[in-house]
Structures are given as C-alpha cells and as structure tokens.
Amino acid sequence: MINKEVQNIAAAVSYINDGAVILSSGFGDAGAPISLLEALAKTDVKNLTIVSNNAGEGNYGLAALIKSGKVAKIICSYPISAGSIIFQNLYNQKKIQLNVVPQGTLSERMRAAGAGIGAFFTPTSAGTKLGEGKETRIIEGIEHVLEYPLKGDIALILAKKADRLGNIIYDKSARNFSPVMAMAATTTIVQVEELVEVGEMDPELIITPGIFIDRIFVHNK
Amino acid sequence: MATIAKTVGLNRKQVAWRIAQEIPEGSYVNLGIGSPEMVANYIPDGREIFFHSENGILGMGPAPKPGQEDGNLINAGKKPVTLLPGGSYFNHTDSFAMIRGGHIDICVLGAYQVAENGDLANWATLDTTKPPGVGGAMDLAVGAKKIYIMMDHLTKDGQPKLMTSCTYPHTGYGVVRTIFTDLAVIDVIDKGFVVRELAKDMSLEDLRSKTDASLTLAKNWSVLNPPEMN
C-alpha cells in the first residue's frame, strides 16, 4: 500500500544533501511551509540554494533558515519586503548571494523544469539589467531572452488537505507557487493541515495529483 | 498667518478616480502595489470589472471587515482582501500566463520615470547599496495589453519624471499607453507625449516647465476636473 505520510517532522526533512537546491513555496507568508523550513534549520545540512518568491520575513520560517547560516544563495523575485531584515543584513555583509528573477520568469522556469522543456524565449527582461548576458532572439519583431529550466532537488510546499497518495488541495491564494514547485523538484515534501481518506476529495477538484508528491507531513496532528 | 496658496492639481484620490473612469465594463485589470490599488475604490456603480492579483486571484474584492482577515487571502502587496462572487483562485504559473500571455486588458502601475517613447522605469533606482527586487513588474510591463501609469508629475525634489529618455533602469521598452498625473492626462502616441487633459488652472507652458520632454496638446483636449475629494 502506498503511504507517503511521514511520522514526524525530522523524517520529513531527512536525506537532504549539502548544496541542495530547495524550492520553497509561498507569497510572503501565504503558502509558506513554515514548520518544514524551521525543521530544516535544525539539521546539519549546509550550502543550500533557496528558490522562493521572497526572502523571508521576521525571524520565522524562511528567515529562520537563512539566519541559521545554511543558505548560501537565494533565487527570488522580491527580497526587499519591509520585514526581510535577516536576509538584508546578510546581503549587506556579503554573506549570501542573490539572484533576482522576474516573478513570471521564475514561475515559468520551474514549469519548464517540471514539464521537460529544454529552454524557452520570453520578452520579459529583454534589454534590461536582468536580461544582461542572456542569449536573445527577435521573434515577430520583439526581442526575447532565452531562459533555462530551474529544477529543484527538493520542494518544500504547503497545502490544506492531502490523502496518503499525495493528492492535494490548497486554501485560497496560499496555492501560489506550490503546484509548480511540486512538479519541478526531484523530491517534493508537503506540509498539510489535514490528512483525508483516499476518495474523499472530489477528483474534479484535486489541484496537484499525487504523482508529484513524495512525502506528506501532517502539521499539528 | 500667511494665506494658503491655492493648490493646482489633483490629490491622489482624484487621480485614482480619473483612472477608474477610463476602465471599461468587462475589463480584466491588474493594479500595482501602492497608490494604484486606490483605483478599485472609484469604479462607477454597475460597471462589472474583474481585478487580477498576481498571487493567483481573479475577482478580488475590497479589504475585509476588521476581524475577518484571512492570511491566505491577500493581494500582491500582501494585504488582506476578499473574493467577489464569480472570483477564482489559481496557481502562479496560470496567473503569470494571464499576465505574460496578453490576457490582462489594463495594468495600472506606479513609475519613477516614463520616456516619451513609452519606456518605463519603475523597479530600481540608481542606489546600489540596497538589494534589487523586481516582483512582477517586468512581466506586467511586457504582457498587459495596456499600461496606465499613476504618478506625481514631479519627484518629491521637484525633478521631472516624464523624460526624453529614462535615466533609471528600464522595466520595459515602449510599453506605456497613458500617464495620469496630478497635473495632466498624457497619452504616448507615435513616440511622443500628447496632452489629453490639463488640470484646472494649469497651462501648457506650466506643464512644459515640469516636463523633460516635448509636449503636444491634443486637438480635442479638455480640462481635468474631478469631483472634490478629501
């Protein structure tokens, strides 16, 4: 019988290698797998690359992981939220690398990784500072830049409900990056509020099918 | 006490009101973070318009009543919002397909500078001591069908923001359709600024002195005269 549920949070974040690329869901706090990130901060792993829309706020979740010194590099669209103090201090001290990517390109690069696309052209960032050094092509008179897939070793995502097979649904705008990150990583670990029986969720409404999910951690069980 | 000088021009609410009048029934609209969010407050009654939020919402409604905020239902500025009947949630890839695939009719953004050929600079200043951050600005600039800019005509230091060419880092090239400032409504037509509306008691010569580019007055120009709002 397939059962992707892990029994505790330490097991959820086990077997993550030094230097891993970690896709971390959420738009600000909405959809961020806070508990998984904090559990990862307590492991011995180091030199991580984090891919996330933002760079953590306050001193919890992604900010706690960054503070733990385990993150060497962050790839994101917007690290300058008012609360991203821990990241900004480390950045100013040159203790963390930053790669800023336009939000839609960030999302589409992960989709490409998940869907087996070798690369794609987009007009977003063409001719700007963020397009510097990229291969370009004029398509229908408009300059495009070539963008490559962004693949994760691990995705840490948040959802509302899962069954043991890893079929999941989300809550409102907390869905954001979770579905695309689930497809773009070798191993996807989901933090959910509730585990339900197989067949309980309407198959017409399942957002991420279990094929993309490897481990389920039920929060506050 | 000195007499209070008569102020020429619109306040923020009046600029937001003016932009709202420009948005037709049935439009799918994305409002940028900050002042552009105010546009939603002035859509005329009975006009059905769908607001899109980059984090996966169509049919976004106003802020909830105190105590009814939901951390999982927020806008691009990460502030609590509501969902209107007929609204929907979707993932980030679909949300940016709406933006990048040309499905958003109008996007209202703030700007540091706009050039007379429609170039837009609104994501980074020349200050390199702070980390950069772009969010969805470049995707919106390139992908939305029409880009409207809501901004003050001058910087806080009195410097022009309408330019012959942008000196700040570009967000997109030739993308701006119309600029709504506290002093005028200006269209970008054939790589030049054309003044469509001028604030009451504002002359074209005055406006020219506050603009670092050529201005043409539209043949059918009118006075920009919104209702009083405080």
Side-chain angles (χ1 to χ4, degrees), chain B residues 10-11 13-14 17-18 21 42 225-230:
Chain B
L10 284 62
N11 61 34
K13 289 178 181 173
Q14 290 173 312
W17 173 89
R18 177 62 192 85
Q21 310 314 303
Y42 300 101
N225 208 0
E228 285 299 316
M229 293 177 191
N230 295 309

Side-chain angles (χ1 to χ4, degrees), chain A residues 101-152:
Chain A
V101 178
Q103 199 171 160
T105 296
L106 187 69
S107 174
E108 194 65 17
R109 285 178 62 197
M110 288 189 277
R111 198 191 77 83
I117 307 289
F120 62 91
F121 282 103
T122 175
T124 296
S125 93
T128 74
K129 267 184 166 180
L130 298 186
E132 279 172 11
K134 294 185 192 290
E135 200 175 324
T136 61
R137 184 177 299 181
I138 308 291
I139 300 171
E140 294 184 358
I142 295 167
E143 187 176 331
H144 288 59
V145 294
L146 185 63
E147 295 285 359
Y148 288 95
L150 183 51
K151 190 169 177 53

Side-chain angles (χ1 to χ4, degrees), chain B residues 110-149:
Chain B
Y112 294 126
Q113 294 174 332
V114 178
E116 61 187 359
N117 62 357
D119 289 359
L120 170 64
N122 79 343
W123 76 281
T125 64
L126 303 173
D127 178 1
T128 53
T129 62
K130 289 176 186 155
V134 69
M138 287 187 182
D139 307 292
L140 287 161
V142 168
K145 285 185 201 160
K146 287 183 191 170
I147 298 289
Y148 290 167
I149 299 298

Side-chain angles (χ1 to χ4, degrees), chain A residues 84-199:
Chain A
S84 296
I85 305 298
I86 289 173
F87 164 77
Q88 285 167 28
N89 285 342
L90 288 172
Y91 177 83
N92 290 338
Q93 295 167 38
K94 298 191 182 347
K95 286 182 178 165
I96 191 165
Q97 294 175 59
L98 171 66
N99 180 0
V100 168
V101 178
Q103 199 171 160
T105 296
L106 187 69
S107 174
E108 194 65 17
R109 285 178 62 197
M110 288 189 277
R111 198 191 77 83
I117 307 289
F120 62 91
F121 282 103
T122 175
T124 296
S125 93
T128 74
K129 267 184 166 180
L130 298 186
E132 279 172 11
K134 294 185 192 290
E135 200 175 324
T136 61
R137 184 177 299 181
I138 308 291
I139 300 171
E140 294 184 358
I142 295 167
E143 187 176 331
H144 288 59
V145 294
L146 185 63
E147 295 285 359
Y148 288 95
L150 183 51
K151 190 169 177 53
D153 297 304
I154 303 286
L156 302 179
I157 68 168
L158 185 85
K160 186 177 184 185
K161 289 182 188 177
D163 63 23
R164 64 176 170 79
L165 304 174
N167 295 309
I168 55 184
I169 62 169
Y170 302 92
D171 187 40
K172 308 184 189 77
S173 66
R175 185 184 309 181
N176 59 65
F177 283 95
S178 290
V180 74
M181 288 179 169
M183 354 168 139
T186 306
T187 301
T188 295
I189 305 162
V190 60
Q191 172 185 329
V192 298
E193 286 170 30
E194 189 186 349
L195 194 71
V196 299
E197 292 299 321
V198 171

Side-chain angles (χ1 to χ4, degrees), chain B residues 4-45:
Chain B
I4 296 166
K6 191 180 174 193
T7 54
V8 173
L10 284 62
N11 61 34
R12 285 280 161 80
K13 289 178 181 173
Q14 290 173 312
V15 178
W17 173 89
R18 177 62 192 85
I19 295 170
Q21 310 314 303
E22 193 87 2
I23 300 176
E25 164 91 3
S27 299
Y28 290 92
V29 179
N30 182 293
L31 300 176
I33 296 170
S35 296
E37 293 173 28
M38 294 167 63
V39 172
N41 300 334
Y42 300 101
I43 299 297
D45 287 346

